[in-house]
Amino acid sequence: MAAEAASSAAASVRGIFNVAADASKLTAMKARDLPAAKAAIARKAIELGLVPETDSQLQQIRQIESEIANLQQPTPIPDGESVGQKTSRLAKEAKKKVQVETTRQRLGKSHAALGGSLYGSMANNPPPGLESEIQKASAISEEISALENSIDSKPGDKKKAILAAAAIGLLLLIGGGMYFFGGGDDSDMSFASSATPAAQPNTATPETSGGGDFEQREAARIAEERRRMEEQKRLAAEREEKRREEEQIALAKMEQERKEREARKRAAEEKDRREAAAKAEAERQRILARQKTIEDAMKRPDDWLLVRRPSPDSKVLGRNVEVVDAKTFESLGSVNYFGESVSPVIGSAALSSPGTRSFERFGVLERPGSIWNPVVSDAFPTHKAEREIIYSEDRVRCLKIEDGDLVRGVLNWKQGAENFEGKITNIGLVDKFKLLRWRGNTLTMQNPSNPTNPIVEINLISGDFSERPPGPFEELSGAIHLTDGLRLQATGDRLRFVNLASLEVRDLPNKKYLPHPGVPGKKDATSIPLIGAPRLVDGDSWRRAIGNDVKMVGEDVCVATTGDRKLLAIHIPTMRTKSIDLGFGDQIPVRGRRSGRVRILDVAGKKVICQLLSDDAANASEELYTYKLVDLGTGTTTPLPPTCFQATWIDDNHFVYLVEEGGVGDIGVWLHSVDTASDQRLSARPEFGSFVLSSDNQTMLADLGSWQRVDLSSGEVRTVDALAEATRVVRFATPIDLDLYADIQSAWGSWNAPEYFAIEQSSIPGFDGKEFELANLINSYDGTVREAMKQIVATQSRVDRCLDMVAYLKLIAPVVTQMAAEGNDVDSITNGGRYEFPVSDELDSCIDEDHLRILIYDRCYEYATRHAFANPQQLSDVEKEKISRNCLKTVEKCMRDRGIKSVLVKGLILHNTKSLTVFGSKVLQIYSQISR
């Protein structure tokens, strides 16, 4: 029985211990394992980006991580740190380590909290990447549930285990209290019952055992204690002294090491500085030598080429470009090159790319483009047009509009910037004006708010300005741009050349004189313009001609096709003209027919390539073209083959063309020689490349799949091995004269207008000056009178060939002036032609009688051919002759009878509804009477 009782008691104890062990494991899993698993879920989810940054728990985690990062920043150790400073620093670092550990615990709890939220929503359907973490947390949760169920299934053992744990805790608490109150130390911790001292054999007190011995012993003890304390002080002092000595030795050693480090550092820096200076000087000398070489080479730019080769790095602009000798193809060296058209800058190693031009009504501003050092510059200064900055054509000066005034400056190409000084005007309205032109030191602008004197001319040196009415230069319309400083206007009766820099004008007659049946016996009764879009005579009816081409040959010669299918060459300095017969005949083209039109295709040197749409072309599908090469020097023409159309002219005697269709022997690139009328095939590949004429004018470089050197006289082709890898070959453009080092004062010094004309207007035959006389007459009046005069001239344009406009304005001027003085505005003066009625009987004095005769004749002939017959083209010569006689009789009767003539003149000129029909009806009435 005793054995069974012992066995039962042992089993009960084991059950209690098992429950206690399970409870301990359960507590550990809940407090440690499960939070760790949930924290792992949170960290993995954050890594995979499954938690949005806006999540409040994630933001809390980010904040804690930031705090840890700040706490882990190392504390800098100052030079010459003292012992006290070191002790303070180490204390702070120890404190920071405690703070880091505390903050890490907060971070773990935040991760566990976030992981718990994610685990609850993802346990059944874990996302990719989180399977293992969620599976581990699930396993821990399941084990926790199993332990809880196991403990709950043994309530008796659970209760006993709790009581046992409480009893053990109580005993520990009592034992600790007894230890505290019983005066125990660290080496003897026992229960209170064992702390009672054992009985001592001598229990006598000092009073009963004798006081003398006690005093002696006490004095000895005190002396021994004093000796021991003094010995401790001495040893402490020795230790402190030794520590100080060691500290001084360490500090001295540290100071020596610091000095040695600084010395080594200074020596290394000095060595690097010397090496850098030597390297910089070597590079400077190299650059100077390269720039001197390029500068010397650019004194003869025709002897050199720019060659681009494939770049190993396609992202790097301007690499693998070399200056190459045009004869030997030896490389001068690589340069940084950014454009296809490059001009050397005279007196410098710099290169320039041209800018774009902006045409402003009657002026042109050339953008300065780009200038750069080809040796050292990867980037280069570029001046781009801005609304507030105006650039001059000389690439040196510029103006800035600031607060309504002009500020003068220069372009600093070395720095790639504009340098400005103080403002030069005090107008305050310049930003409201429109730029017309900049010539020399005068800027011309238009003030739209001043209708009377809209033209503002500003002296860019003094800042003075003047206002005036618009003159012929501002009112010039339809001008043709010949050069940067030269314009051509082709009016109905004159060719006007204008020098924009000096405002000089030279006029040539723009007329081809013709007889007219309305003025018998006069060979120059009427005229047609040679250049422009004139009205031409075809038979006896008026037609509109086709426009003309105008081009420059060099800087001094202007060429244009004329209405009679000739080429007109004008030498601008002397205004001498040469009319060259192209051999196309002189038939005048008419409306409705494209045939007969002459075009200028191209200019090659001093020769001009012309094209004619032949008269034999019956319709558009059968258009036949004829081509001629015109030598301006000799006036001779040479027929050209159709292959010259869309060809590339190498010089004035050779062009290259492409044949893409035909037989095996036809397809390829061909060279045509004009003087020998021969063709030489250069390549069988139907691909058109680049062609560069050599400086000797005897050979050219041709891109025919590979670069070849072609002899223009023989057509011999040789491969240039030195250019095997070249992708682009160009010649340098014309050098430009640009002072890179001009300051503001020198840049704005004296300026001379370029000269175009070497002859005075009075020396040019055939010029009557009436157009200038008309403009000067209008501008001699002010305000309302002038505006009314301008409107009257515009309304009378329909009869301007019959009307002497100067005489007409002088006749009506007193009437218009009186009406303006009475307070009438422009519309009241010009409405209905009231200004003409007081002088209507004197209008005959303003009429050109020859043009009046022509007008009467043409009105009758047009009426007869259009209304008397169904098809005017079917009129026989006899019928035409009869109509012409009757028209001439009508003219003679109208001109002899002063009464009829006066009626016709008034009907032609007066501006009222009745008068508008008087002229036509009266002329046709007389014609009808004569015809019957």
Side-chain angles (χ1 to χ4, degrees):
M1 294 296 290
E4 292 178 359
S7 176
S8 175
S12 176
V13 171
R14 282 196 300 271
I16 292 170
F17 276 104
N18 289 336
V19 170
D22 290 344
S24 176
K25 183 177 181 182
L26 176 64
T27 301
M29 295 184 73
K30 283 186 175 182
R32 182 188 61 205
D33 298 343
L34 186 59
K38 292 180 178 179
I41 293 175
R43 286 192 292 270
K44 189 65 174 181
I46 294 172
E47 178 184 347
L48 297 176
L50 301 178
V51 183
E53 291 293 335
T54 57
D55 188 89
S56 59
Q57 291 178 300
L58 178 57
Q59 291 178 352
Q60 183 181 8
I61 289 172
R62 296 298 191 207
Q63 183 178 356
I64 297 173
E65 289 175 343
S66 177
E67 293 176 8
I68 293 174
N70 292 332
L71 290 172
Q72 288 179 334
Q73 291 291 333
T75 303
I77 302 175
D79 293 336
E81 182 184 30
S82 66
V83 176
Q85 290 175 332
K86 183 176 181 181
T87 304
S88 176
R89 176 174 58 80
L90 293 176
K92 290 180 181 179
E93 289 180 354
K95 183 178 179 181
K96 286 174 64 175
K97 290 180 180 179
V98 174
Q99 292 176 340
V100 168
E101 186 60 31
T102 305
T103 310
R104 287 186 187 277
Q105 293 176 3
R106 287 173 49 210
L107 179 62
K109 292 178 180 180
S110 298
H111 274 118
L114 175 59
S117 301
L118 298 175
Y119 175 71
S121 60
M122 299 178 178
N124 296 328
N125 187 19
L130 279 178
E131 296 89 345
S132 60
E133 286 77 4
I134 292 179
Q135 184 179 1
K136 183 177 180 180
S138 298
I140 295 173
S141 297
E142 291 175 359
E143 190 172 354
I144 288 173
S145 297
L147 287 173
E148 288 177 342
N149 293 334
S150 175
I151 292 172
D152 291 341
S153 65
K154 302 172 183 178
D157 293 342
K158 179 179 179 181
K159 183 175 181 180
K160 292 176 182 179
I162 294 172
L163 291 174
I168 293 171
L170 181 60
L171 288 174
L172 291 174
L173 179 60
I174 293 172
M178 293 296 291
Y179 167 77
F180 178 78
F181 292 105
D185 55 22
D186 292 340
S187 62
D188 185 14
M189 182 178 287
S190 62
F191 291 103
S193 58
S194 62
T196 303
Q200 300 295 328
N202 184 11
T203 59
T205 62
E207 289 79 5
T208 60
S209 60
D213 292 341
F214 174 78
E215 291 177 355
Q216 291 176 359
R217 288 193 302 270
E218 185 66 20
R221 186 186 64 78
I222 292 172
E224 179 65 23
E225 183 67 21
R226 185 180 295 116
R227 186 192 62 76
R228 186 181 63 81
M229 291 179 64
E230 289 177 355
E231 180 66 18
Q232 289 178 350
K233 288 181 180 179
R234 184 185 66 78
L235 293 175
E238 289 178 355
R239 287 195 299 269
E240 178 64 20
E241 182 66 22
K242 184 177 180 181
R243 187 192 64 78
R244 289 178 179 177
E245 291 177 356
E246 291 175 350
E247 183 178 340
Q248 290 297 326
I249 294 172
L251 290 175
K253 183 177 180 181
M254 291 174 59
E255 179 65 18
Q256 181 64 27
E257 291 176 351
R258 185 185 66 81
K259 291 180 179 180
E260 291 176 356
R261 286 197 305 270
E262 290 182 353
R264 289 194 299 270
K265 181 179 178 181
R266 286 195 299 270
E269 290 177 350
E270 179 64 20
K271 180 181 178 182
D272 292 343
R273 188 191 64 78
R274 289 196 301 268
E275 291 178 353
K279 185 177 180 180
E281 178 61 21
E283 179 66 11
R284 189 180 72 85
Q285 293 296 334
R286 185 189 70 82
I287 290 174
L288 289 176
R290 288 282 305 283
Q291 290 186 158
K292 184 65 169 61
T293 302
I294 292 178
E295 182 177 344
D296 292 342
M298 291 305 100
K299 295 176 182 178
R300 310 177 311 279
D302 286 345
D303 295 342
W304 302 91
L305 300 171
L306 278 173
V307 177
R308 184 190 295 275
R309 305 186 191 276
S311 175
D313 186 355
S314 60
K315 297 181 180 180
V316 179
L317 180 64
R319 302 293 187 183
N320 289 358
V321 178
E322 298 177 354
V323 178
V324 174
D325 190 299
K327 297 179 181 178
T328 64
F329 301 109
E330 294 181 0
S331 175
L332 182 67
S334 61
V335 297
N336 295 297
Y337 163 62
F338 295 89
E340 295 296 345
S341 178
V342 178
S343 297
V345 178
I346 296 176
S348 168
L351 301 179
S352 171
S353 286
T356 59
R357 294 187 177 99
S358 174
F359 295 91
E360 297 282 354
R361 193 176 177 188
F362 190 58
V364 60
L365 297 179
E366 182 174 358
R367 305 305 181 198
S370 309
I371 294 177
W372 75 95
N373 185 321
V375 178
V376 299
S377 297
D378 287 334
F380 53 91
T382 300
H383 292 274
K384 296 183 179 179
E386 299 180 6
R387 187 178 62 85
E388 297 83 3
I389 299 179
I390 307 170
Y391 298 106
S392 65
E393 294 183 25
D394 57 13
R395 302 189 186 204
V396 174
R397 301 174 297 165
C398 59
L399 294 170
K400 179 172 65 172
I401 300 176
E402 188 175 86
D403 297 330
D405 282 296
L406 293 175
V407 181
R408 188 171 58 197
V410 297
L411 295 173
N412 188 333
W413 286 108
K414 295 180 67 177
Q415 299 177 1
E418 298 91 355
N419 295 338
F420 292 98
E421 62 179 11
K423 68 178 182 179
I424 57 176
T425 62
N426 288 291
I427 301 175
L429 295 172
V430 176
D431 55 333
K432 307 296 183 184
F433 298 166
K434 178 181 180 181
L435 175 67
L436 294 182
R437 61 181 173 271
W438 179 359
R439 57 180 182 87
N441 293 322
T442 301
L443 190 72
T444 304
M445 308 188 81
Q446 182 181 28
N447 179 8
S449 62
N450 187 350
T452 304
N453 295 299
I455 305 304
V456 181
E457 290 188 340
I458 303 173
N459 187 313
L460 299 177
I461 301 298
S462 65
D464 298 334
F465 69 93
S466 61
E467 298 177 279
R468 61 172 174 81
F473 305 109
E474 286 77 35
E475 295 180 341
L476 191 62
S477 61
I480 301 171
H481 177 86
L482 297 180
T483 67
D484 288 343
L486 190 65
R487 298 291 183 277
L488 167 64
Q489 184 197 33
T491 64
D493 60 352
R494 71 193 64 232
L495 299 176
R496 170 167 295 168
F497 294 87
V498 182
N499 180 355
L500 293 183
S502 63
L503 292 186
E504 291 183 284
V505 175
R506 297 294 183 269
D507 282 359
L508 285 177
N510 185 24
K511 298 178 180 179
K512 177 180 176 62
Y513 290 99
L514 301 171
H516 192 281
V519 189
K522 195 171 184 179
K523 294 183 179 180
D524 56 352
T526 187
S527 64
I528 61 171
L530 290 174
I531 297 176
R535 295 180 63 82
L536 306 178
V537 174
D538 180 27
D540 294 321
S541 61
W542 290 89
R543 295 288 185 266
R544 184 170 297 279
I546 300 171
N548 309 96
D549 289 345
V550 179
K551 291 187 182 296
M552 287 294 294
V553 179
E555 293 291 327
D556 295 335
V557 178
C558 170
V559 293
T561 58
T562 62
D564 55 355
R565 301 202 298 195
K566 292 181 173 59
L567 187 69
L568 179 65
I570 304 169
H571 184 244
I572 295 171
T574 62
M575 288 291 133
R576 294 178 59 185
T577 62
K578 177 188 290 187
S579 180
I580 300 175
D581 190 343
L582 301 178
F584 295 150
D586 59 358
Q587 179 180 354
I588 299 172
V590 298
R591 181 176 56 186
R593 294 175 58 192
R594 294 180 64 240
S595 62
R597 179 182 179 182
V598 178
R599 294 177 54 204
I600 298 177
L601 288 184
D602 203 352
V603 174
K606 298 296 183 181
K607 297 181 181 179
V608 182
I609 300 97
C610 295
Q611 176 199 61
L612 170 73
L613 177 58
S614 304
D615 298 323
D616 297 333
N619 52 58
S621 62
E622 298 178 1
E623 292 177 351
L624 303 176
Y625 293 97
T626 304
Y627 302 91
K628 296 288 184 69
L629 181 66
V630 184
D631 189 325
L632 298 181
T634 62
T636 58
T637 61
T638 304
L640 294 175
T643 52
C644 71
F645 184 66
Q646 294 183 338
T648 297
W649 285 81
I650 306 303
D651 56 20
D652 59 9
N653 189 48
H654 300 88
F655 64 83
V656 178
Y657 62 95
L658 178 66
V659 177
E660 297 181 283
E661 297 179 354
V664 175
D666 299 329
I667 295 176
V669 179
W670 293 77
L671 172 68
H672 179 83
S673 176
V674 176
D675 55 0
T676 61
S678 61
D679 295 273
Q680 174 74 32
R681 189 165 73 164
L682 303 180
S683 171
R685 295 165 57 102
E687 297 177 1
F688 217 48
S690 301
F691 305 94
V692 181
L693 180 64
S694 301
S695 58
D696 58 9
N697 295 324
Q698 303 296 320
T699 59
M700 73 171 179
L701 294 174
D703 183 6
L704 305 173
S706 61
W707 286 94
Q708 311 286 327
R709 192 164 193 167
V710 181
D711 189 310
L712 295 178
S713 59
S714 64
E716 180 184 358
V717 178
R718 290 178 296 170
T719 300
V720 181
D721 296 332
L723 301 179
E725 297 182 353
T727 59
R728 180 74 172 166
V729 177
V730 297
R731 289 180 62 175
F732 283 97
T734 304
I736 63 171
D737 189 1
L738 175 65
D739 185 1
L740 288 175
Y741 309 101
D743 57 18
I744 293 180
Q745 294 300 326
S746 62
W748 287 86
S750 60
W751 180 84
N752 297 318
E755 297 182 357
Y756 282 100
F757 311 122
I759 187 173
E760 297 297 329
Q761 181 62 57
S762 58
S763 302
I764 302 175
F767 173 71
D768 54 20
K770 284 186 177 180
E771 188 166 341
F772 274 127
E773 184 180 357
L774 178 63
N776 292 333
L777 176 61
I778 294 175
N779 290 328
S780 65
Y781 295 95
D782 295 324
T784 303
V785 177
R786 183 174 64 200
E787 296 304 316
M789 291 288 197
K790 291 171 65 175
Q791 188 165 325
I792 291 169
V793 171
T795 57
Q796 289 288 17
S797 60
R798 62 187 179 88
V799 292
D800 58 354
R801 294 176 69 89
C802 293
L803 194 62
D804 184 339
M805 197 63 69
V806 173
Y808 175 72
L809 290 184
K810 289 180 178 180
L811 180 64
I812 65 173
V815 181
V816 174
T817 303
Q818 179 63 32
M819 296 177 70
E822 294 173 356
N824 293 280
D825 59 14
V826 174
D827 292 337
S828 299
I829 294 174
T830 58
N831 186 27
R834 290 189 298 136
Y835 57 86
E836 294 173 320
F837 296 146
V839 294
S840 59
D841 293 335
E842 303 177 50
L843 294 176
D844 290 2
S845 63
C846 307
I847 288 294
D848 184 307
E849 292 196 357
D850 284 348
H851 283 95
L852 180 59
R853 293 174 66 96
I854 293 172
L855 185 60
I856 295 171
Y857 182 96
D858 290 341
R859 181 64 59 87
C860 296
Y861 195 92
E862 181 178 6
Y863 168 78
T865 56
R866 289 192 177 184
H867 299 283
F869 302 93
N871 187 353
Q873 300 297 329
Q874 296 180 356
L875 287 172
S876 64
D877 292 341
V878 175
E879 290 171 327
K880 290 181 180 180
E881 179 63 27
K882 180 180 178 181
I883 292 173
S884 180
R885 286 196 305 270
N886 291 334
C887 291
L888 187 56
K889 290 178 182 179
T890 304
V891 171
E892 297 298 339
K893 182 174 182 178
C894 292
M895 298 302 293
R896 285 195 308 268
D897 192 318
R898 295 183 60 84
I900 296 177
K901 180 181 178 182
S902 179
V903 170
L904 293 179
V905 170
K906 292 179 180 179
L908 187 65
I909 299 176
L910 293 179
H911 286 72
N912 56 56
T913 305
K914 180 178 179 181
S915 298
L916 291 175
T917 59
V918 167
F919 178 84
S921 60
K922 189 64 177 177
V923 167
L924 297 181
Q925 179 185 1
I926 297 173
Y927 175 80
S928 299
Q929 293 174 355
I930 292 175
S931 298
R932 290 196 297 268

